[in-house]
Amino acid sequence: MLINIDHALSISRERRAPQPPQRPRGIFERLAVLLIAAWAMPSLAARPSCIDALGSPVAVQGPLRVTGSESVDASLPVDGGATYLVRVEEHDNDALIELLDTGNQAIARADHPERRTGTRWIITTAGSPSLSVRATGKEHVRAAGTATVRVFDLAAL
């Protein structure tokens, strides 16, 4: 019985000599990699987020306290007839977000089918000089969370 203890030869069908080891990278190759990385990083870091691109909100209200399954309303002053992006940030209590008309009827809803918190978005054209937003909690009675409402004027973009 023959036992081959040379691993490189034992895994190769063709009994050729193993490949030579790779030489270490030279100083110029390392410098080129560092220069490319240094050039790329500031351009990646300088990319604005969607929120930054929206600019400053025209109205902000909150954080509003959302407890259990109760509702909390916010009225925000806007110009009638203009188009707005309503952004509601929920934390610690999943909520249904509704945009209300002057008769307190829901004209738009933002919700997620799964239980979660996060950001909800609604685009609307204001029919009056104020927007009414309602956040209704969807959690158990002791769940306490917050919702912050921000309104952005889309004409300013």
Side-chain angles (χ1 to χ4, degrees):
M1 181 166 147
L2 178 65
I3 299 176
N4 185 351
I5 59 171
D6 185 5
H7 181 68
L9 291 176
S10 69
I11 63 171
S12 174
R13 288 189 173 174
E14 299 173 15
R15 308 282 184 192
R16 289 189 256 164
Q19 293 181 353
Q22 291 185 343
R23 66 177 176 81
R25 296 202 184 272
I27 188 70
F28 293 112
E29 291 168 327
R30 290 181 186 171
L31 183 60
V33 168
L34 287 175
L35 287 174
I36 290 171
W39 172 77
M41 292 308 284
S43 65
L44 293 175
R47 291 183 181 171
S49 70
C50 295
I51 302 306
D52 295 337
L54 290 172
S56 297
V58 294
V60 178
Q61 190 153 2
L64 307 169
R65 187 159 172 75
V66 181
T67 306
S69 59
E70 296 180 11
S71 297
V72 61
D73 293 350
S75 182
L76 299 115
V78 294
D79 294 330
T83 303
Y84 295 98
L85 173 68
V86 179
R87 179 178 190 255
V88 182
E89 298 170 39
E90 310 169 2
H91 295 284
D92 301 325
N93 188 349
D94 188 14
L96 166 68
I97 306 302
E98 297 174 304
L99 194 60
L100 308 174
D101 64 8
T102 55
N104 239 13
Q105 298 298 313
I107 56 173
R109 288 190 172 100
D111 193 12
H112 197 279
E114 297 173 353
R115 183 176 162 239
R116 66 188 313 171
T117 61
T119 304
R120 306 287 183 259
W121 307 84
I122 298 174
I123 295 177
T124 187
T125 300
S128 66
S130 70
L131 285 175
S132 295
V133 179
R134 175 179 291 153
T136 304
K138 300 186 333 184
E139 300 279 343
H140 58 85
V141 176
R142 292 183 308 209
T146 61
T148 303
V149 182
R150 289 183 172 84
V151 178
F152 298 91
D153 185 359
L154 293 180
L157 297 179

